[in-house]
Amino acid sequence: MKTEIMWQKEEKIKNDSIISFSINYYEQNKDLKKLANAYHYKSGILYLQGKKKEAIYLEKKAELVAKTLHHDILNLKIYNNLSYFNLAANNKKEAEKYLKKMLEISNKINNNIWKSAALTGLIDIHLDQNNIDSACYYINQATPLTKYLVSSIRISFLGNMGRFLEKINPKKAISFYNEALHIEEEPKIYGFMANIYYKAGDVDKAMTLWNKSLNSPDISFQIEILQQQHQYLNEHDREHEAHQVAKRIIALKDSMAIIEQRDSIKEIQNMLEQEYVVQEAREERHMLIAICCGLIVTICIGIAIYTVRRRHYRKEISHHKNEALSNQEILRSLQQSSEQSAKDLKHLHKEMEMLRTEQSQLLAKGKQRYDEIMQGGNTALWHKQDFMAFMEYYRMTEPTFVEQQEKEYNTLSPKLQFFETLSHMGYSNKDIAQILCVGEDSLRSYKARVKKQKR
């Protein structure tokens, strides 16, 4: 009850210990209704914490448990979350399925609040797919229910009405957009308005609104806006600006691909729909022993591989640096001596160029990883070379910090150096946890390991 009240008051829930305790109790006592409800709320908490796969897993468990209960309000809450999760993951077909289930139940119990929410979501999906007839059908059903819309859904509805009227009545569409912005400054609304002004020839106004719309957290929407800007800049021979926008589009697409791969929820949903809570066939003790043994073996293998590769990589970098310094000295000596042949000089120049190229590639890779972090990315797919490349690039921007770090600690791993650097860059614990793809509690372990290496 405490978790549910905090959720409804939109208070920040820092940990899920209370609801987890409840889940354990309900699982032991076979209280299915309360168990499904607890799964639902814990799923919402995990989703807000960025643990999307765990969230969808629990919400699907809630759905499967609630199926046998025929409790309409509980099912509405669960379907609402599942539709939202799938919309955010761009699984529109799956989201539409759950929105239709919401609409069916809300029609059955005549609940206008839930009905209006389901209709607004369906309008949004069909407008995205350019299914104008279907969108019009749902708009006609939703219009009489606008007084039941909560503010967040009202903004979506007004935005959809504007999108529907863009070609038919642009002025009316803009009035709907302005009404939505009066409730809250939703970045996507600025993007929709920009399209109207652009088509009307007011390019300066459109560019201003497009820039405002780039504050949207929806990466696919940001890409769409940048592509429109890129097209305009190319048409007006503003090549330099168009090139900069193109670079942003590429970076965002790479970031979106990483996020989609990391947060893909289709497999989890398919798995749970095909199997309904598989019963454990083996004793819990054997399962725990197997898991522990697997983890121990995996960790040992990982540590061994990491250690060998890290030593090799550091040795390679050190070797390159030493060669560069040595060649610089030889080159300086050759330039001062008139007796040395031009052939030797040319050979040394070539070697220097090769070393500079290798160092440049390392720094380029480091800059790429640095930009990923600055643009809200994370290290889910990073390898050790990525962490080391990041630190080499950061050494260029903050040499004093990196050198001081190397003096203060014995042998910090690249990942721990990266962890310390994130703190130096001003990130909060929550941000650092999201970047490292770990829970905030895990940061204590990182800090302890760093402290242990201090001279």
Side-chain angles (χ1 to χ4, degrees):
M1 289 175 67
K2 182 175 181 181
T3 300
E4 190 167 349
I5 290 168
M6 291 172 71
W7 181 268
Q8 291 172 356
K9 290 170 69 177
E10 298 185 359
E11 292 182 7
K12 187 174 182 181
I13 303 174
K14 295 182 178 179
N15 65 69
D16 55 13
S17 59
I18 300 175
I19 197 72
S20 296
F21 176 86
S22 304
I23 288 172
N24 292 333
Y25 180 83
Y26 298 143
E27 285 177 340
Q28 291 173 11
N29 289 274
K30 308 299 179 185
D31 190 334
L32 297 183
K33 179 184 172 183
K34 291 182 179 178
L35 178 60
N37 198 48
Y39 281 153
H40 164 72
Y41 281 103
K42 183 171 180 180
S43 169
I45 294 168
L46 291 173
Y47 193 85
L48 290 178
Q49 292 174 349
K51 302 173 182 177
K52 296 182 180 179
K53 287 189 177 181
E54 295 93 327
I56 193 68
Y57 178 81
L58 274 183
E59 200 69 64
K60 288 295 294 183
K61 284 185 72 174
E63 179 194 12
L64 295 171
V65 173
K67 272 184 180 178
T68 60
L69 304 175
H70 307 291
H71 191 285
D72 292 327
I73 297 297
L74 177 58
N75 279 323
L76 280 170
K77 293 195 295 185
I78 292 169
Y79 294 153
N80 183 56
N81 266 15
L82 287 170
S83 66
Y84 177 80
F85 294 167
N86 281 284
L87 270 176
N90 209 29
N91 299 329
K92 293 193 183 335
K93 188 172 287 188
E94 195 74 11
E96 185 180 2
K97 179 182 80 174
Y98 287 113
L99 287 167
K100 285 182 175 178
K101 287 184 178 183
M102 284 176 62
L103 185 59
E104 181 184 349
I105 295 174
S106 55
N107 279 327
K108 183 182 82 172
I109 65 176
N110 197 28
N111 188 308
N112 289 325
I113 295 174
W114 284 107
K115 191 188 300 184
S116 61
L119 288 167
T120 301
L122 288 166
I123 294 167
D124 193 31
I125 288 174
H126 286 290
L127 283 175
D128 281 344
Q129 296 173 342
N130 205 28
N131 299 331
I132 303 302
D133 291 339
S134 297
C136 184
Y137 170 75
Y138 289 119
I139 286 172
N140 289 333
Q141 291 188 54
T143 303
L145 303 173
T146 52
K147 63 182 178 181
Y148 298 105
L149 294 171
V150 297
S151 60
S152 58
I153 298 177
R154 181 181 293 276
I155 293 169
S156 180
F157 177 77
L158 292 170
N160 287 332
M161 288 299 294
R163 292 167 69 191
F164 180 71
L165 294 169
E166 272 185 13
K167 295 179 180 178
I168 307 169
N169 189 342
K171 288 185 179 179
K172 186 67 176 175
I174 288 177
S175 70
F176 275 114
Y177 290 146
N178 284 324
E179 187 178 346
L181 290 171
H182 184 70
I183 299 171
E184 184 179 336
E185 291 198 5
E186 167 58 44
K188 281 190 175 183
I189 301 294
Y190 287 120
F192 301 146
M193 289 180 72
N195 294 335
I196 297 177
Y197 285 109
Y198 181 69
K199 290 173 184 176
D202 191 346
V203 177
D204 292 336
K205 180 73 172 176
M207 288 295 283
T208 301
L209 293 171
W210 273 333
N211 288 331
K212 285 187 177 182
S213 70
L214 290 174
N215 292 322
S216 171
D218 187 338
I219 296 178
S220 61
F221 183 75
Q222 290 182 42
I223 292 171
E224 182 182 335
I225 295 298
L226 288 169
Q227 286 172 337
Q228 291 171 321
Q229 289 185 331
H230 185 259
Q231 180 181 349
Y232 164 73
L233 293 168
N234 274 332
E235 289 172 356
H236 291 76
D237 296 325
R238 293 162 66 174
E239 294 181 2
H240 178 70
E241 293 172 84
H243 179 66
Q244 295 302 318
V245 171
K247 286 170 66 177
R248 290 182 66 184
I249 292 171
I250 292 169
L252 284 173
K253 284 183 177 179
D254 291 343
S255 179
M256 187 169 69
I258 292 170
I259 291 170
E260 285 177 353
Q261 184 178 3
R262 184 195 67 199
D263 296 335
S264 175
I265 60 176
K266 287 183 180 178
E267 295 179 2
I268 295 173
Q269 292 185 96
N270 292 335
M271 178 189 70
L272 288 173
E273 284 176 357
Q274 292 169 3
E275 300 179 19
Y276 177 66
V277 190
V278 179
Q279 298 295 326
E280 295 292 336
R282 291 169 292 186
E283 294 182 4
E284 184 179 353
R285 184 189 304 171
H286 292 166
M287 182 181 66
L288 289 173
I289 291 172
I291 291 171
C292 290
C293 289
L295 284 172
I296 291 169
V297 171
T298 303
I299 290 168
C300 290
I301 292 171
I303 290 171
I305 293 171
Y306 168 78
T307 303
V308 171
R309 289 186 177 179
R310 177 172 171 268
R311 286 176 181 171
H312 174 75
Y313 198 71
R314 290 185 70 88
K315 185 177 178 180
E316 189 175 347
I317 291 174
S318 177
H319 176 68
H320 288 162
K321 287 181 178 178
N322 290 336
E323 275 195 7
L325 291 171
S326 175
N327 286 333
Q328 282 179 348
E329 289 298 324
I330 294 171
L331 183 60
R332 200 175 291 117
S333 174
L334 286 171
Q335 287 172 340
Q336 292 171 356
S337 173
S338 59
E339 297 177 359
Q340 295 297 324
S341 68
K343 185 178 178 179
D344 289 339
L345 283 171
K346 185 177 178 180
H347 177 71
L348 286 171
H349 274 298
K350 187 176 179 180
E351 285 192 7
M352 283 294 296
E353 281 302 316
M354 290 175 61
L355 291 170
R356 286 196 188 101
T357 300
E358 291 179 5
Q359 190 68 14
S360 296
Q361 289 173 350
L362 180 66
L363 291 174
K365 186 175 184 180
K367 185 179 187 307
Q368 184 182 3
R369 296 298 173 255
Y370 178 84
D371 289 342
E372 283 180 18
I373 298 303
M374 295 302 291
Q375 291 172 9
N378 58 50
T379 62
L381 298 178
W382 284 25
H383 299 291
K384 56 195 170 304
Q385 292 92 343
D386 296 297
F387 289 104
M388 297 184 78
F390 178 96
M391 291 307 304
E392 286 301 311
Y393 175 75
Y394 198 72
R395 186 191 300 275
M396 298 287 292
T397 59
E398 293 287 344
T400 305
F401 168 75
V402 177
E403 289 173 7
Q404 185 64 28
Q405 190 184 58
E406 290 174 346
K407 288 178 182 178
E408 287 184 0
Y409 298 95
N410 289 323
T411 52
L412 273 186
S413 69
K415 193 168 185 179
L416 290 180
Q417 283 184 301
F418 175 74
F419 167 71
E420 281 287 279
T421 303
L422 290 177
S423 298
H424 178 258
M425 292 168 71
Y427 284 104
S428 65
N429 283 347
K430 180 180 177 182
D431 292 336
I432 294 172
Q434 288 179 347
I435 290 170
L436 291 172
C437 300
V438 298
E440 289 189 40
D441 291 343
S442 299
L443 296 184
R444 296 176 188 161
S445 173
Y446 280 82
K447 291 177 181 177
R449 289 160 59 190
V450 170
K451 186 176 179 182
K452 190 175 179 180
Q453 294 296 327
K454 196 155 189 178
R455 293 183 187 276

